[in-house]
Amino acid sequence: MGGYGRGELSPHSDIDLLFLTAPRSDITPATLRGLLYPLWDAGFQVGHAVRSAKEAVERSADDLDSATAVLSARVVAGDPEPFEEFIDRQGRWLRKERGSLARRILESTAARHKSADRAGWALAPDLKDGVGGLRDLHVLFWLGRIADEDRVTPLLSDAGDLLLAVREALHAEVKRKSDRLRIDLQPIVARRMGLEHDEGRNELMAQVHSAARDIEHGYALGSSALTGKVLGGPKRSGVARQVSPKVRLEDGKLHVDPGAGDDPLEDAMELLATAAGTGRPIAARSLMWLKETFHRPPLERWSPAVLESFLTLISSPNATETLETVDQVGGWPVLLPEWNGVRGLAQHDPYHRFTVDGHSFIAVGEARRATEQDAFGQAAAAEAGDLSSLYLGTLLHDVGKGSGEDHSVAGERLARDACRRMGLPDDQVEEVAAIVRHHLLLVDTATRRDLDDGAVINFVTETVGNPRRLRLLYLLSIADGKATGPEGWNEWKGALVRELFLRVITALETGELPARSDVAMRAREVEAYEPTLTGRVETVLETLPPSYLHATSTPDIADDIRLLLSPPQPGQVKHRVDTGTEAGQLSVTVGVVDRPGTLARTAGVLALHRISVLTANAFSTTAGIALQRFIVKPHQEIDWDSFAEDLAAAYSGRLAVEARLGKKVLDYKPKVPVIPEVRVLQEESAHSTVVEVRAPDALGLLWAITASLTELDLDIHVAKIDTLGERVVDVFYVRSAWGDKLNAEQATEVTRSIEHRVAQLFGS
């Protein structure tokens, strides 16, 4: 039965056996041990049952898994007579109960789809139970048995064979039953399947995603047709309404009425634009017509009608779903050959949730929502005016990925070529190319640079060039972040990007750099929030760097003021743990008398307790207090009393952080070599040297970097820590012990020190 019955066993699949006996047979499971024990001893997972033909059919009526398993039953050995009786009884039962069984299968599939990832778009797809996985092919087979009609086309069969081959390679590698093709396993599985070149991983995943999309689309069409045959479709009204010149709405679905002699591609785009605007599904026959229409060479030049429909599509409420439809019907190679490089392309970082093209489709929808649901976004959209460049730039912002070069640089070139073929005016071509080139500018600057540094604002102002482009980049930043996933956009990141936007728009519109953060204004906000602090806030805030004011929420400032009004004394460590703004996150704040190595000590203790740092900011007051705030995500329940004891011990010299951490790292060895990329940037700040470190995330990495800076007796004036899935970008504004920027010799030693200590800790 099941996969064994279909002849689709993977190396570690379950073996489902049904022993059919005559009625009142004396055969029991115990009598079969001689057959089953060798299978179990050999490591097979064997599920078995002993039933008469009548009992097997009755079991199907009570249990859906049994019902679907026996739909795939075949004889392995033995007397054929019980099997023939079973097939006869099953056929009579299916004819009688086919409507009920079909409903049960469809309800079970809908419940699975509700909780499963879409295998054609997910970065780590479930090859069996994901939407578009092998199980959907099984469902089509079951429904086909019930309806006595085969809907598994050669295309779907080939797609299933591909997923099955990948699943077999996956089982062979992990040596156990497994259906999720994890990111770290993809290169290994690709090599096992003969894809040993550098791009083998990407080639494998492009094939997997394409096959799963074919199955998802085929299941939707096939199950609908089979359900209509078994259960009967809705009663047709025959009433049609023309919703555009070539598109009519009939019984809730869109139908195209192409005109004789007209360009069918224009009719196709009108149909797709109508679907995006109305949210109505396209009828199956019209979908087939779309596939036939897009079976042609790429467009060398778009007609005005095609361009108008496309711009309508990408700005419509249901753009994301319709852009996927363009993929299903083979439209992208015709409209944008540049898209071939990113179709189904996996992104090798776990903070992205979807393939490059899937992420881009979602981002287009998020761009529209940013203009409607974000207060600053609404104002930016209204002041920008025409938003067609925004939607085009959002669609194309990652088109340069997979090119082998900086994807923003490659994307700018590809976007410019595409927009010229579309027939856009030259100024709009350059506008779209520019926002693709700089789509990461606001987020990267806001999270990794000191926004109170005039050099930073100057750089962004000169790069963006004009207020309209800045507004489009702001909206694209929101869309890109939200389409990425929870770690791509959160309240902290949104606040920083908004602050940068406001500062740069001021500089662009007035021609002058904005004033540094207003201490008096923030003081009034804090005193309104916590009246007991009235009269004491401004004095304390003046001791903190200006960047503290826009990086810290009003409630956190109030708590910090209380700490700084009664500051820790030498040898004393103050800390607090609060609930973070995102689910499962905590905020850990530490105050201690400033001295070299404060950030390293705290980072080391956090690592010793296996507390992952997602983001962090560190500031030093002019009164000599180091204030550190970490947004963390613990892997397990934390004993905060023990954490406090270790923190105090680390600062009093009673805890050998480096020695203990070296032992801890051995227990949690990173999966990949930890090789840091260190950049020492002299021109990013007028008063400090910026040290930027990118590396795979690993337990103890933040300690290693900060300890390296401490070793060189450097003062960390501002620190910004950002963890993006399994990679980190840590930025430090540092000065020498004499308060100067680093010279060339010191800059070289910074890189050497960080690389050496990381290699020493992780053995890389």
Side-chain angles (χ1 to χ4, degrees):
M1 302 186 297
Y4 192 15
R6 290 188 302 273
E8 294 178 350
L9 286 184
S10 295
H12 293 276
S13 294
D14 295 343
I15 295 177
D16 294 320
L17 296 174
L18 172 62
F19 294 93
L20 280 172
T21 68
R24 295 178 295 280
S25 168
D26 59 355
I27 295 177
T28 67
T31 64
L32 300 171
R33 286 173 183 165
L35 173 63
L36 296 174
Y37 272 25
L39 294 174
W40 288 330
D41 291 344
F44 291 106
Q45 301 294 315
V46 183
H48 69 285
V50 181
R51 297 189 181 104
S52 68
K54 180 181 178 182
E55 289 169 341
V57 172
E58 289 173 346
R59 179 68 174 171
S60 298
D62 298 331
D63 180 73
L64 181 60
D65 288 341
S66 296
T68 55
V70 296
L71 288 174
S72 306
R74 65 183 171 94
V75 173
V76 176
D79 183 355
E81 187 174 337
F83 183 72
E84 291 168 0
E85 179 189 353
F86 165 71
I87 292 298
D88 181 61
R89 286 180 176 274
Q90 184 190 58
R92 282 183 276 128
W93 178 76
L94 279 177
R95 287 190 292 275
K96 179 182 177 183
E97 300 293 335
R98 69 179 198 160
S100 172
L101 180 58
R103 287 191 188 91
R104 290 161 62 195
I105 290 173
L106 290 169
E107 289 169 0
S108 173
T109 303
R112 172 172 57 84
H113 282 185
K114 194 172 182 179
S115 60
D117 289 332
R118 299 171 67 198
W121 307 90
L123 296 186
D126 186 322
L127 301 174
K128 181 180 178 184
D129 289 324
V131 180
L134 291 165
R135 181 61 80 201
D136 283 349
L137 273 186
H138 303 160
V139 173
L140 271 185
F141 170 79
W142 299 333
L143 292 173
R145 281 289 313 276
I146 296 168
D148 197 23
E149 179 181 331
D150 185 7
R151 296 291 299 199
V152 180
T153 64
L155 174 67
L156 295 182
S157 181
D158 289 346
D161 287 346
L162 185 280
L163 294 191
L164 192 60
V166 175
R167 185 174 185 245
E168 290 171 1
L170 176 63
H171 279 206
E173 282 297 333
V174 299
K175 305 295 189 292
R176 57 182 171 79
K177 182 169 69 173
S178 178
D179 298 312
R180 186 167 295 282
L181 188 54
R182 297 197 323 257
I183 291 174
D184 59 310
L185 295 172
Q186 290 166 11
I188 306 170
V189 171
R191 286 195 294 272
R192 190 173 191 92
M193 296 190 68
L195 302 173
E196 298 183 1
H197 49 280
D198 291 343
E199 290 299 307
R201 173 188 193 173
N202 288 339
E203 185 177 335
L204 169 70
M205 295 313 299
Q207 292 177 15
V208 168
H209 288 134
S210 182
R213 292 178 193 184
D214 287 341
I215 292 173
E216 180 181 357
H217 185 47
Y219 170 79
L221 293 176
S223 63
S224 176
L226 291 170
T227 302
K229 182 174 181 180
V230 174
L231 302 177
K235 189 174 181 180
R236 299 191 177 278
S237 66
V239 177
R241 176 169 62 89
Q242 207 71 24
V243 290
S244 74
K246 298 292 177 61
V247 181
R248 59 187 163 84
L249 179 66
E250 184 176 344
D251 294 317
K253 294 187 177 180
L254 297 173
H255 300 256
V256 67
D257 298 314
D262 292 341
D263 182 354
L265 207 56
E266 293 182 357
D267 297 342
M269 293 308 300
E270 182 181 322
L271 173 61
L272 290 163
T274 304
T278 63
R280 298 285 191 171
I282 298 174
R285 184 171 296 176
S286 291
L287 280 172
M288 293 304 297
W289 176 85
L290 281 172
K291 285 189 175 184
E292 293 168 2
T293 301
F294 280 115
H295 188 67
R296 51 156 293 164
L299 279 179
E300 293 183 5
R301 185 77 174 180
W302 290 26
S303 72
V306 168
L307 176 60
E308 181 182 358
S309 291
F310 188 75
L311 294 180
T312 299
L313 189 167
I314 60 177
S315 62
S316 294
N318 303 285
T320 297
E321 296 79 5
T322 309
L323 290 168
E324 286 188 18
T325 302
V326 176
D327 179 80
Q328 292 168 1
V329 299
W332 290 115
V334 175
L335 298 171
L336 293 173
E338 295 84 359
W339 208 254
N340 294 334
V342 295
R343 183 180 189 266
L345 181 64
Q347 311 202 59
H348 306 311
D349 51 68
Y351 64 95
H352 272 94
R353 296 175 296 172
F354 306 109
T355 59
V356 174
D357 55 341
H359 162 78
S360 300
F361 296 160
I362 293 169
V364 171
E366 290 292 350
R368 181 185 171 95
R369 276 184 282 278
T371 69
E372 299 172 336
Q373 299 174 7
D374 180 272
F376 279 88
Q378 287 178 342
E383 291 161 351
D386 176 44
L387 297 178
S388 57
S389 293
L390 166 67
Y391 296 118
L392 281 170
T394 303
L395 177 67
L396 297 170
H397 75 281
D398 276 347
V399 74
K401 286 192 171 178
S403 63
E405 61 179 307
D406 183 327
H407 81 279
S408 297
V409 175
E412 176 187 18
R413 183 179 64 252
L414 293 170
R416 185 178 284 111
D417 291 344
C419 290
R420 284 174 179 157
R421 277 201 322 281
M422 291 179 190
L424 295 175
D426 290 344
D427 58 343
Q428 189 172 11
V429 170
E430 293 308 313
E431 185 171 69
V432 173
I435 64 175
V436 169
R437 173 68 179 87
H438 301 299
H439 70 274
L440 295 173
L441 175 67
L442 298 187
V443 171
D444 283 356
T445 303
T447 56
R448 300 170 190 172
R449 296 294 181 263
D450 183 351
L451 302 189
D452 275 298
D453 192 323
V456 171
I457 306 303
N458 252 334
F459 171 74
V460 177
T461 301
E462 291 173 0
T463 302
V464 173
N466 62 67
R468 171 177 162 79
R469 193 170 292 175
L470 176 65
R471 292 184 174 103
L472 297 180
L473 281 171
Y474 175 70
L475 292 164
L476 174 51
S477 298
I478 297 173
D480 188 18
K482 289 191 172 182
T484 296
E487 292 171 346
W489 194 261
N490 51 38
E491 184 178 320
W492 168 77
K493 195 166 289 187
L496 290 177
V497 171
R498 188 162 53 248
E499 178 70 22
L500 175 60
F501 168 76
L502 292 172
R503 288 168 178 267
V504 176
I505 202 74
T506 299
L508 285 168
E509 292 183 338
T510 67
E512 298 179 0
L513 288 177
R516 286 176 172 252
S517 299
D518 189 335
V519 173
M521 182 187 71
R522 291 310 306 268
R524 289 193 297 272
E525 291 174 1
V526 173
E527 289 171 355
Y529 173 80
E530 183 53 79
T532 61
L533 298 176
T534 300
R536 297 182 289 173
V537 176
E538 188 169 347
T539 303
V540 177
L541 289 183
E542 286 175 343
T543 70
L544 284 152
S547 54
Y548 168 86
L549 298 178
H550 60 72
T552 313
S553 68
T554 298
D556 282 337
I557 292 178
D559 287 336
D560 292 346
I561 295 296
R562 293 190 191 93
L563 184 152
L564 294 172
L565 285 171
S566 179
Q569 301 303 307
Q572 183 184 18
V573 183
K574 290 192 172 184
H575 84 284
R576 68 173 191 274
V577 180
D578 306 303
T579 302
T581 57
E582 308 291 330
Q585 296 180 5
L586 297 173
S587 173
V588 179
T589 304
V590 175
V592 65
V593 173
D594 199 8
R595 58 174 173 163
T598 54
L599 186 56
R601 286 183 174 85
T602 306
V605 174
L606 287 167
L608 287 174
H609 287 262
R610 288 194 64 216
I611 302 174
S612 294
V613 177
L614 301 179
T615 63
N617 284 287
F619 309 96
S620 297
T621 73
T622 56
I625 301 296
L627 192 62
Q628 307 161 4
R629 180 171 291 105
F630 302 84
I631 303 300
V632 303
K633 194 167 188 176
H635 291 287
Q636 72 287 316
E637 193 70 29
I638 301 299
D639 183 344
W640 290 107
D641 290 336
S642 174
F643 171 80
E645 291 172 3
D646 284 349
L647 200 60
Y651 277 97
S652 63
R654 293 181 288 108
L655 183 71
V657 175
E658 182 172 3
R660 290 176 179 269
L661 198 53
K663 186 174 184 300
K664 192 82 168 180
V665 166
L666 293 176
D667 297 331
Y668 299 96
K669 188 79 173 170
K671 296 178 183 177
V672 296
V674 183
I675 302 174
E677 176 190 341
V678 184
R679 299 172 66 205
V680 182
L681 308 169
Q682 297 286 20
E683 305 303 322
E684 297 287 316
S685 169
H687 309 291
S688 302
T689 297
V690 175
V691 178
E692 182 177 287
V693 183
R694 299 167 182 253
D697 190 23
L699 183 73
L701 177 64
L702 180 57
W703 171 84
I705 297 169
T706 50
S708 302
L709 299 176
T710 300
E711 178 187 29
L712 298 175
D713 203 19
L714 300 181
D715 173 29
I716 300 175
H717 182 58
V718 174
K720 291 194 168 193
I721 312 303
D722 196 9
T723 301
L724 305 170
E726 293 188 358
R727 290 194 66 80
V728 298
V729 180
D730 295 348
V731 177
F732 307 89
Y733 280 68
V734 302
R735 298 171 186 164
S736 71
W738 295 274
D740 302 324
K741 294 177 72 170
L742 308 188
N743 58 36
E745 185 179 1
Q746 289 172 309
T748 300
E749 292 305 301
V750 165
T751 301
R752 181 175 286 119
S753 178
I754 292 174
E755 290 176 345
H756 172 74
R757 193 175 288 265
V758 169
Q760 193 175 46
L761 181 63
F762 298 107
S764 53

